[in-house]
Amino acid sequence: VRCSELTCAKRCATNDPIAMELTAVATPASNKSEKMEEKGGKEMPKVEQDQMQEEREPSTIILFWLCCVSGLEGMDTQLVPACQFALQRDLGLQLGHFAVLFTVQMVLTNLAAPFWGILADRGTLKRKTILMLGAIGEGVAITIFAFVPNFWVMMLLRGMSGFFLASLRPVCNGLIADLTSDNKRGKIFGRVQSALLVGMFCSLLIAGNVANPYVGNIPGWRFLFAGGGAVAFIVALGLGGFLTEPPHQLDESAKVKGCAAVRTELCTVLSFLRIPTFCVMIMQGVFGTIPW
């Protein structure tokens, strides 16, 4: 074999066509194997990187505080209904008053949600800051509600509560979308939604037993709202200490500021009204939130 290789080399040196043809046939195979090795060596890290991206999800501590944000919203939605009998007894409210409180809160929530979303998308405020402001504002509204003297102050506070509650769920969902890969978003969103239902359940379970009795001359529902405010402040402190916001890439629209930004967002909202399905969803929400 050694002799044949030397012979072939000598023939190539003398421009022998047979030897050159054999060399041309053999060379691509070796080059091909070398290219495959090089290609394989380059592709492996890319595949591993893609797999790492697919397995991306928020850490346990971050997910816990995002669930607390969702649970805070669920807790607030059930506080007033659970205290309905006590409020009728102590403040003389009627069913129509509760309908007004519910409507004011929902209207302010729906009006404020685009406002908080614009602040988050344009980078005007960090999403972590928005969540903290929402939790603090909710805590202030609930705490003052514990000392409310009449219906008009209650209506103002429920509107304030709706304004700050509107900042929680949209921003929380945006953080989950950035922290979680596509194949695990359903699981994470499901856990956060479960936290909302747990907050509603705990609020009903505790409020129903605490709101009606008296502690001395003070009705229990006042302690209940004060405790709800304390929970909101604890959530705000937890968000400030443990929530790490991922990097957020801004689009071209974020460069528009001031009145031009407001005009752009209003045009976007009005363009939604041209979509028939969107209009149907609005009508569904109007009739679905009627306090029968």
Side-chain angles (χ1 to χ4, degrees), residues 7-260:
T7 304
C8 184
K10 290 179 180 180
R11 289 183 176 181
C12 287
T14 57
N15 295 328
D16 191 343
I18 298 176
M20 294 178 67
E21 184 177 357
L22 292 174
T23 305
V25 172
T27 301
S30 60
N31 292 339
K32 183 177 180 180
S33 62
E34 292 176 358
K35 289 181 180 179
M36 290 179 64
E37 292 178 359
E38 293 178 358
K39 185 178 179 181
K42 292 180 181 178
E43 284 185 351
M44 288 303 295
K46 184 178 180 181
V47 173
E48 293 178 359
Q49 185 178 2
D50 292 340
Q51 290 178 352
M52 292 177 62
Q53 290 178 355
E54 290 178 358
E55 299 301 324
R56 182 167 47 90
E57 65 179 70
S59 62
T60 303
I61 189 68
I62 292 178
L63 180 60
F64 171 77
W65 287 108
L66 291 178
C67 289
C68 288
V69 170
S70 184
L72 176 63
E73 181 179 358
M75 178 196 72
D76 179 85
T77 58
Q78 301 302 316
L79 280 179
V80 173
C83 301
Q84 182 173 336
F85 174 77
L87 293 174
Q88 286 178 318
R89 178 195 62 195
D90 297 332
L91 298 180
L93 300 184
Q94 300 177 358
L95 294 179
H97 293 118
F98 293 103
V100 172
L101 293 177
F102 179 80
T103 302
V104 169
Q105 185 181 23
M106 288 297 100
V107 169
L108 265 296
T109 300
N110 294 329
L111 291 177
F115 168 76
W116 293 112
I118 292 171
L119 292 181
D121 290 341
R122 294 182 176 274
T124 306
L125 289 175
K126 292 184 178 181
R127 289 174 291 180
K128 176 180 177 178
T129 304
I130 293 176
L131 288 178
M132 292 179 61
L133 287 176
I136 293 173
E138 172 67 10
V140 171
I142 298 178
T143 303
I144 298 177
F145 198 96
F147 305 96
V148 65
N150 54 52
F151 169 74
W152 299 107
V153 179
M154 292 175 63
M155 185 172 63
L156 177 64
L157 292 174
R158 293 316 285 172
M160 177 180 174
S161 175
F163 176 80
F164 285 104
L165 279 180
S167 67
L168 299 182
R169 187 183 299 185
V171 177
C172 183
N173 291 341
L175 281 173
I176 293 174
D178 289 343
L179 290 169
T180 313
S181 54
D182 294 343
N183 62 333
K184 291 195 173 184
R185 285 179 184 172
K187 178 181 70 174
I188 302 301
F189 278 121
R191 291 177 180 177
V192 174
Q193 181 65 23
S194 298
L196 175 71
L197 299 177
V198 170
M200 296 172 64
F201 171 76
C202 294
S203 180
L204 285 172
L205 184 65
I206 297 173
N209 297 315
V210 175
N212 296 326
Y214 280 85
V215 180
N217 294 326
I218 304 175
W221 62 268
R222 296 189 183 274
F223 292 100
L224 182 67
F225 279 94
V231 171
F233 291 132
I234 292 173
V235 172
L237 290 176
L239 291 172
F242 298 100
L243 182 62
T244 302
E245 183 176 352
H248 182 58
Q249 186 176 1
L250 302 177
D251 55 11
E252 294 296 330
S253 61
K255 298 179 181 179
V256 183
K257 304 294 182 181
C259 297

